[in-house]
């Protein structure tokens, strides 16, 4: 993977929910059995109180609602 062993993250994430826009890469979290694991996604929609993101921009069915915060939170049951 790009950046492995170099100490840097190969991704650039927007962690400022006030500036979220469609197309931004974000690091998100998931509740339940996947809690504590980091995930990377792309914002598809940005709303005042939530966002819609995907972990696979090429899969049109992959859409998850998440909280609008620095690292959005997706409910485990909403993962697709």
């Amino acid at each position: 993977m790009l950046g492995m062993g170099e100490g840097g993250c190969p991704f650039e994430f927007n962690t400022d929910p006030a500036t979220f826009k469609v197309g931004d890469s974000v690091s998100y979290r998931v509740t339940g059995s996947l809690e504590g694991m980091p995930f990377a996604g792309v914002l598809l929609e940005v709303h005042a109180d939530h966002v819609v993101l995907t972990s696979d921009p090429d899969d049109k069915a992959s859409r998850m609602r998440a909280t609008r915060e620095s690292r959005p939170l997706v409910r485990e049951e909403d993962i697709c």
Side-chain angles (χ1 to χ4, degrees):
M1 181 193 309
L2 178 67
M4 292 297 289
E6 298 172 14
C9 179
F11 301 101
E12 283 190 42
F13 298 117
N14 184 350
T15 58
D16 181 1
T19 65
F20 280 173
K21 62 186 177 308
V22 172
D24 281 350
S25 293
V26 295
S27 173
Y28 68 94
R29 303 165 293 137
V30 176
T31 64
S33 66
L34 299 172
E35 188 172 337
M37 295 180 62
F39 295 91
V42 176
L43 296 177
L44 299 174
E45 299 176 19
V46 178
H47 302 274
D49 61 346
H50 72 280
V51 295
V52 176
L53 58 85
T54 182
S55 59
D56 183 359
D58 295 327
D59 181 358
K60 299 298 181 197
S62 174
R63 301 172 63 86
M64 299 171 278
R65 183 183 170 117
T67 60
R68 185 173 177 168
E69 55 188 296
S70 62
R71 288 191 61 222
L73 182 62
V74 175
R75 295 182 338 189
E76 185 175 35
E77 56 268 20
D78 292 339
I79 295 175
C80 53

